Amino acid sequence: MTHAFSVDVEDWYHDSVGEAPAAPASRVEANTLRLLDIMAGHGATGTFFFLGDVAERFPALARRVAEAGHEVGSHGYAHRRVMQMTRREFRDDVVRSLRVIEDATGAPVRGYRAPYFSIKADVHWPLEILAELGVRYDASILAIDRPPGLDLVCPRRPFRHPNGLWEVPVAVLQMLHF
């Protein structure tokens, strides 16, 4: 492998603090198609973590990404922080996203990335739920705490949780003494 690439497929308003506009103008389809063209021009493939909401509104887009040879993973359904949901809400959100994405692509979803990288290294219940639902790997945990600590909270390389789920931490570069 000469590269590793992933992208979260969400629209501009999914990251807003307030409510989405009543009839939001979507940018996700045009931008994702542009990215697919760029990647095809370089012979590159990657993982596209789709929000279930996006896959539901644009099933042909999710299908096209899969048909282009990219992996399609789940980014949840509604772009909510995991640690702000109950266990039941999290399970329901993931189940809904898996169903919508699998219906669109015709393939099982193997990977998950939480919105805002909101699964913490010391909180295990979301990972247990993902494993129960048949997800094979998670890519939600940052290997370092955010400032002010910047302490290493998990290995920088992929590792396996005790429940069998693989963790693929977000890449971080070691510089100086960190």
Side-chain angles (χ1 to χ4, degrees):
M1 178 186 307
T2 58
H3 65 278
F5 178 84
S6 67
V7 62
D8 297 345
V9 184
E10 58 193 52
D11 225 322
W12 64 272
Y13 56 85
H14 286 117
D15 197 33
S16 65
V17 175
E19 291 293 314
S26 178
R27 298 178 187 149
V28 72
E29 187 172 31
N31 289 335
T32 303
L33 292 174
R34 186 175 307 123
L35 185 56
L36 285 177
D37 288 343
I38 292 168
M39 294 182 75
H42 292 280
T45 58
T47 301
F48 286 67
F49 291 101
F50 265 77
L51 271 183
D53 177 64
V54 172
E56 188 170 65
R57 289 183 303 113
F58 300 97
L61 180 63
R63 188 169 35 261
R64 184 162 175 188
V65 168
E67 289 171 350
H70 303 282
E71 178 183 13
V72 178
S74 171
H75 192 42
Y77 183 85
H79 207 263
R80 294 181 59 202
R81 292 178 193 272
V82 173
M83 302 318 297
Q84 292 177 346
M85 289 189 268
T86 66
R87 292 172 193 221
R88 177 67 177 204
E89 290 170 331
F90 176 68
R91 176 185 285 280
D92 291 348
D93 184 83
V94 174
V95 166
R96 187 174 181 191
S97 76
L98 296 176
R99 180 186 49 79
V100 169
I101 294 166
E102 290 173 355
D103 286 351
T105 64
V109 173
R110 300 178 318 153
Y112 176 83
R113 176 179 288 154
Y116 307 101
F117 302 101
S118 58
I119 295 178
K120 304 298 176 200
D122 59 348
V123 179
H124 302 285
W125 65 263
L127 304 173
E128 293 164 5
I129 291 172
L130 292 173
E132 289 168 9
L133 295 175
V135 173
R136 296 184 55 203
Y137 73 90
D138 175 67
S140 303
I141 297 177
L142 294 171
I144 56 171
D145 274 340
R146 294 182 179 163
L150 296 178
D151 294 320
L152 192 63
V153 296
C154 72
R156 286 187 173 93
R157 296 180 190 239
F159 63 94
R160 197 168 213 155
H161 291 282
N163 67 10
L165 187 75
W166 280 95
E167 185 64 45
V168 182
V170 177
V172 292
L173 177 65
Q174 184 172 357
M175 295 180 64
L176 303 173
H177 65 279
F178 293 110

